[in-house]
Amino acid sequence: MSGSGMPRLMLLDTASLYFRAFYGVPDSIRRSDGTPVNAVRGLMDMIARLTTDYEATHLVACWDNDWRPQWRVDLIPGYKSHRVAETVSNGPDVEVVPDPLEAQIPMIRRVLDLAGIAVVGVDEHEADDVIGTYASQASFPTDVVTGDRDLFQLVDDDRGVRVIYTARGMKNLEVLTDVVVVGKYRVLPQQYADFATLRGDASDGLPGVAGIGEKTAASLLGAHGSLEGLLEAADAPDGGLSAGIRAKLSAAADYLKVAPAVVNVVRDLEVPTLEEAGAKLRPVTGDARAELEQLATDWNLGGSVKRLLEALDHIPEVLSADEAR
């Protein structure tokens, strides 16, 4: 790693990454008691590679304290409903997670803790909202690592916020900047949430506006700037919209009133500062290093522990960093 002397923050959509690790690394890799460790291994290797390749000096593993917040469900009852394994009346619903992955989540938390990697979640909010808050408040360049298109709305060249998109695998990472988002979707990053609202997203249970797909959504936002501008045009006699588009927007009026609050990530949560969270990456030393090295044997983590420790051993020193925000 070539240290530039400048700080760089990396925000992990942690669940997105450990799901990808679980499905990308053979589950035949197990501890002596038969518990799979493929997701643990895979996540460690991802963190080692990402922090090295993108020269992160600060890292937050953002956590889903509530993967399906009730306030979003109240607005759109079908939000992520196809992923509910069990409904809970007084807490977060239980998500469909394969048992072999569920068994590894405590191990993942233990490894992150021993490695000194900050884990931050906020009750009644998703990791996306934690990411949105840190990315919006960061005082230095920031990389968001995710396989979720929803977070494209955070891309901001002026503030140095990029998305490292993992959907095509770790060998085909894509770095999204303003130009890349425009090239893919013909909308600016700040228009992406409105674009997703109009288009819908079956993976999140968002129906979108019937009859409006990606091309039409992009064209409408190009002409009217935002969903708000589009709806104002729909209400105006001389708004320039066809009768067909007006009818489609009218039919989806109830959905369009609530969907933006669901689709837009929260950017103003009360979260620990980077300093309070312990986000600055450092070499692992002492008892924590000894325990991690022992777990490499006890949990059959192979060379993943070694690669993670080596990556953390070579974090560049930064000249200055405002960690108070």
Side-chain angles (χ1 to χ4, degrees):
M1 183 178 292
S2 66
S4 66
M6 297 301 294
R8 175 171 287 278
L9 173 63
M10 180 169 283
L11 302 169
L12 303 182
D13 182 0
T14 314
S16 170
L17 297 185
Y18 65 60
F19 266 92
R20 179 161 297 280
F22 176 74
Y23 287 110
V25 179
D27 65 2
S28 57
I29 301 173
R30 296 172 178 261
R31 293 191 324 197
S32 59
D33 65 1
T35 304
V37 292
N38 55 330
V40 186
R41 275 196 183 196
L43 182 62
M44 283 194 292
D45 280 333
M46 288 178 180
I47 292 172
R49 177 184 166 185
L50 288 162
T51 53
T52 300
D53 288 357
Y54 296 98
E55 299 191 344
T57 61
H58 297 69
L59 178 69
V60 179
C62 300
W63 205 263
D64 281 321
N65 276 21
D66 190 338
W67 68 278
R68 186 176 183 251
Q70 187 60 46
W71 59 271
R72 282 191 164 109
V73 177
D74 289 342
L75 294 171
I76 297 181
Y79 182 65
K80 295 186 178 180
S81 59
H82 60 295
R83 288 156 55 183
V84 176
E86 179 185 348
T87 302
V88 178
S89 60
N90 59 348
D93 291 337
V94 178
E95 185 178 11
V96 175
V97 179
D99 290 344
L101 173 55
E102 186 75 38
Q104 296 182 65
I105 294 175
M107 290 188 279
I108 289 170
R109 290 295 298 254
R110 182 59 181 155
V111 165
L112 293 175
D113 179 58
L114 289 170
I117 293 171
V119 177
V120 178
V122 174
D123 289 349
E124 300 180 1
H125 287 84
E126 301 173 55
D128 286 7
D129 302 315
V130 179
I131 291 169
T133 297
Y134 278 119
S136 299
Q137 297 178 4
S139 57
F140 43 83
T142 299
D143 289 326
V144 173
V145 185
T146 185
D148 186 350
R149 294 183 299 175
D150 290 346
L151 292 173
F152 293 176
Q153 63 188 274
L154 297 174
V155 171
D156 187 338
D157 283 2
D158 289 341
R159 299 191 60 254
V161 179
R162 311 182 298 187
V163 166
I164 300 171
Y165 191 46
T166 64
R168 294 188 298 165
M170 292 297 292
K171 293 182 179 179
N172 297 288
L173 295 173
E174 186 174 13
V175 178
L176 276 84
T177 59
D178 287 8
V179 169
V180 177
V181 174
V182 172
K184 277 179 168 290
Y185 300 106
R186 297 190 300 135
V187 296
L188 295 166
Q190 57 264 37
Q191 296 173 306
Y192 188 85
D194 288 345
F195 171 76
T197 295
L198 290 166
R199 176 200 65 200
D201 189 339
S203 68
D204 281 341
L206 299 173
V209 177
I212 293 183
E214 288 198 355
K215 290 183 178 179
T216 302
S219 177
L220 291 171
L221 291 171
H224 300 281
S226 66
L227 178 59
E228 182 180 3
L230 173 61
L231 295 178
E232 287 176 355
D235 287 338
D238 57 350
L241 294 176
S242 69
I245 292 296
R246 288 176 187 272
K248 290 169 183 175
L249 293 173
S250 178
D254 290 343
Y255 163 76
L256 290 173
K257 288 177 183 176
V258 298
V262 175
V263 176
N264 280 277
V265 300
V266 179
R267 299 178 184 233
D268 59 356
L269 294 178
E270 291 188 13
V271 294
T273 66
L274 297 180
E275 185 174 18
E276 290 168 347
K280 189 174 188 303
L281 293 171
R282 296 178 174 85
V284 182
T285 59
D287 292 344
R289 190 180 189 101
E291 184 172 343
L292 263 179
E293 291 173 338
Q294 186 61 46
L295 289 181
T297 300
D298 294 348
W299 288 1
N300 188 27
L301 299 179
S304 298
V305 167
K306 180 181 178 182
R307 288 186 286 273
L308 178 59
L309 289 172
E310 288 178 348
L312 295 175
D313 284 342
H314 295 92
I315 297 297
E317 290 296 323
V318 294
L319 298 177
S320 62
D322 176 11
E323 298 179 15
R325 296 177 61 184

